[in-house]
């Protein structure tokens, strides 16, 4: 009787064995880390000047509006044009916008500008970054699926999240200390250097051929094809909707300058720690996911992770202790990273190759709606309800969304990836 072959051993580093994937991931790490440093430094400076939580929400709105308007067209281009070229052009625009922000924040230049002129100029340059991200995000997300074989998609999603979360840790912590040492202008000079490194790394990725699409000549049919695919594929629609509504109402990141300055009173260094806490939780969890993928019962695990996110946000809202606030934010990041790994695996595994860019664009619109528009919603709710009540209300909505989704999606509990 022939001997049964031993099952293939799980390789937790499978995706990292592909040099082009490493180059793209490290380049994305530098970009995301730099953008977070820029975001934290600008948010703290703007709040320090205005003392208005709505001004923090306007940062998210300034970036979200151009991003949402252009992301679907960016996905169309990512499916029809060479992706590496799109990525390099988008990073170049982000580099130019950040260079202009650094010049705008220089003390000699800033002293010559009226307060409202400086503020609106900063919002305008943030909008330029959002414009570029509308092209970068779907191109980079769809390109990585072409850099590793299909059987490595789940592992590549895990490591992509790992690089992103590492940037999400180092970015806020670095921002707090860089701001304390060099002010806004010195911080943004470091950001510009990081974007330069990202451009260099992307050059190591070779161009990939464009996959033919059935609607090659019709722009509107092409855009509609991507949207229709997402809306008729239930697990994709529910996964990205769950993420959007939970972070839209339950996210607290935009309000952390208020907590750092007025509630916990820990200053810019404390703000950096608060911003880093969820990313540390996410990084440790996503590394654990590389060894123990949460994909055996993906839909159940996704719902439980979002529920945990909402409960941890509720703890953060009522906390008056710095260490407890850090622990609660750590937990939000840990739960969120599980949902990110599952959702990214769904997005890489389910769509056909010729639709990847547009599907990723639809996902990016949902993510931007939850993150940047969520920042605006947080700022507006904080002004109307007060900071702490608005976060409590958002956490309650998140838990309610999970309960509603649990009842609506019972057939997805048997889905395997």
């Amino acid at each position: 009787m022939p001997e049964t072959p031993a099952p293939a051993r799980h390789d937790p580093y499978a995706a990292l064995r592909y040099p082009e994937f490493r180059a793209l991931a490290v380049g994305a790490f530098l970009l995301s880390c730099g953008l977070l440093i820029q975001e934290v430094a600008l948010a703290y400076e703007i709040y320090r000047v205005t003392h208005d939580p709505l001004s923090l929400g306007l940062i998210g709105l300034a970036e979200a509006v151009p991003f949402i308007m252009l992301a679907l067209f960016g996905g169309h281009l990512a499916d029809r044009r060479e992706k590496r070229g799109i990525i390099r052009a988008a990073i170049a625009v982000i580099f130019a916008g950040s260079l202009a922000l650094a010049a705008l924040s220089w003390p000699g230049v800033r002293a010559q500008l009226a307060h409202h002129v400086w503020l609106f100029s900063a919002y305008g340059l943030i909008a330029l970054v959002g414009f570029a991200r509308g092209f970068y995000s779907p191109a980079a997300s769809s390109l990585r699926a072409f850099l590793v074989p299909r059987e490595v998609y789940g592992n590549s999603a895990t490591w992509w999240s790992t690089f992103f979360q590492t940037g999400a840790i180092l970015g806020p912590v670095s921002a707090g200390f860089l701001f304390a040492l060099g002010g806004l202008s010195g911080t943004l000079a470091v950001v510009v250097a990081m974007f330069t490194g990202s451009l260099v790394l992307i050059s190591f990725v070779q161009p990939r051929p464009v996959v033919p699409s059935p609607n090659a000549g019709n722009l509107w049919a092409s855009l509609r094809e991507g949207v229709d695919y997402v809306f008729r594929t239930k697990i994709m629609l529910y996964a990205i909707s769950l993420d959007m509504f939970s972070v839209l109402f339950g996210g607290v990141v935009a309000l952390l300058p208020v907590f750092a300055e007025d509630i916990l009173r820990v200053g810019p260094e404390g703000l950096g720690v608060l911003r880093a806490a969820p990313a540390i939780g996410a990084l440790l969890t996503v590394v654990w996911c590389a060894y123990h993928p949460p994909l055996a019962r993906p839909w159940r695990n996704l719902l439980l992770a979002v529920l945990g996110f909402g409960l941890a946000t509720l703890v953060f809202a009522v906390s008056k202790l710095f260490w407890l606030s850090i622990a609660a934010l750590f937990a939000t990041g840990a739960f969120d990273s599980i949902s990110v790994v599952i959702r990214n695996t769904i997005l890489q595994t389910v769509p056909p190759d010729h639709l990847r860019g547009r599907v990723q664009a639809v996902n990016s619109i949902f993510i931007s709606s939850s993150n940047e528009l969520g920042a605006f919603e947080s700022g507006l709710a904080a002004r109307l309800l007060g900071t702490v009540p608005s976060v409590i209300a958002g956490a309650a909505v998140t838990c309610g969304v999970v309960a509603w989704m649990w009842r609506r999606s019972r057939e997805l509990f048997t889905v395997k990836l």
Side-chain angles (χ1 to χ4, degrees):
M1 183 175 181
E3 185 177 338
T4 303
R9 187 176 181 181
H10 174 66
D11 181 4
Y13 307 102
L16 297 181
R17 304 191 190 281
Y18 296 86
E20 290 181 302
F21 176 80
R22 290 199 305 268
L24 182 66
V26 176
F29 157 77
L30 289 175
L31 185 70
S32 63
C33 186
L35 286 172
L36 283 169
I37 292 173
Q38 182 170 279
E39 177 187 331
V40 171
L42 280 171
Y44 189 78
E45 177 67 13
I46 288 174
Y47 184 71
R48 193 171 68 166
V49 169
T50 64
H51 289 281
D52 183 356
L54 184 59
S55 67
L56 300 176
L58 291 175
I59 295 174
L61 187 65
E63 189 170 1
V65 170
F67 178 86
I68 291 173
M69 289 175 63
L70 291 167
L72 196 55
F73 180 67
H76 166 79
L77 284 184
D79 285 335
R80 302 299 174 83
R81 300 288 187 269
E82 195 274 301
K83 297 174 179 59
R84 190 194 67 167
I86 296 173
I87 293 170
R88 293 174 69 178
I91 297 176
V93 173
I94 293 172
F95 171 88
S98 298
L99 188 63
L101 275 171
L104 191 69
S105 65
W106 199 259
V109 175
R110 188 168 173 181
Q112 300 176 18
L113 298 175
H115 167 70
H116 69 279
V117 173
W118 180 84
L119 195 60
F120 281 105
S121 298
Y123 284 134
L125 290 169
I126 292 168
L128 179 65
V129 171
F131 167 84
R133 283 185 55 237
F135 293 96
Y136 169 83
S137 183
S141 297
S142 59
L143 177 60
R144 61 190 168 99
F146 293 87
L147 304 182
V148 297
R150 187 175 184 85
E151 61 269 18
V152 184
Y153 281 176
N155 186 259
S156 69
T158 299
W159 282 110
W160 186 266
S161 298
T162 300
F163 279 100
F164 177 82
Q165 297 298 349
T166 302
I169 293 171
L170 297 180
V173 171
S174 302
F177 288 101
L178 286 171
F179 191 96
L181 292 172
L184 182 59
S185 58
T187 302
L188 294 179
V190 174
V191 169
V192 170
M194 296 179 74
F195 293 161
T196 303
S198 181
L199 272 172
V200 171
L201 281 165
I202 297 302
S203 66
F204 289 100
V205 179
Q206 296 301 312
R208 289 300 191 277
V210 178
V211 178
S213 175
N215 292 314
N218 190 323
L219 172 62
W220 296 112
S222 172
L223 300 180
R224 189 170 59 250
E225 186 182 13
V227 174
D228 289 347
Y229 181 83
V230 170
F231 275 81
R232 71 171 180 266
T233 308
K234 203 167 189 178
I235 190 169
M236 294 184 62
L237 177 62
Y238 279 16
I240 61 180
S241 298
L242 183 65
D243 175 76
M244 182 186 76
F245 287 111
S246 63
V247 179
L248 177 64
F249 295 105
V252 297
V253 170
L255 296 178
L256 289 183
V258 183
F259 280 90
E261 187 76 3
D262 298 337
I263 297 174
L264 299 172
R265 301 186 183 280
V266 292
E269 295 89 345
L271 172 61
V273 174
L274 290 173
R275 281 296 304 263
I280 294 172
L283 177 62
L284 294 178
T285 304
V286 85
V287 170
W288 181 85
C289 288
Y291 292 87
H292 308 282
L295 304 175
R297 298 180 67 182
W299 188 246
R300 182 207 63 177
N301 294 341
L302 183 61
L303 289 169
L304 290 175
V306 176
L307 178 63
F309 175 86
L311 294 175
T313 301
L314 184 61
V315 173
F316 174 79
V318 300
S319 170
K320 303 296 183 186
L321 302 173
F322 187 45
W323 68 265
L324 181 59
S325 298
I326 293 172
L329 290 173
F330 178 95
T332 65
F335 286 117
D336 186 54
S337 68
I338 296 173
S339 69
V340 167
V341 168
I342 296 172
R343 192 175 67 254
N344 281 347
T345 303
I346 291 170
L347 288 167
Q348 280 195 265
T349 304
V350 176
D353 286 343
H354 75 279
L355 278 173
R356 272 187 211 288
R358 283 161 287 174
V359 169
Q360 291 290 349
V362 174
N363 178 60
S364 296
I365 291 171
F366 275 72
I367 290 175
S368 184
S369 297
S370 62
N371 292 336
E372 283 79 13
L373 291 184
F376 176 70
E377 180 274 336
S378 296
L380 183 60
R383 173 183 269 192
L384 297 175
L385 304 176
T387 301
V388 172
S390 69
V391 177
I392 292 174
V397 171
T398 297
C399 295
V401 168
V402 173
W404 181 84
M405 193 73 76
W406 193 291
R407 295 186 60 188
R408 293 275 300 179
S409 60
R410 293 185 183 278
E411 70 274 20
L412 298 181
F413 281 78
T414 59
V415 171
K416 297 184 182 297
L417 298 177

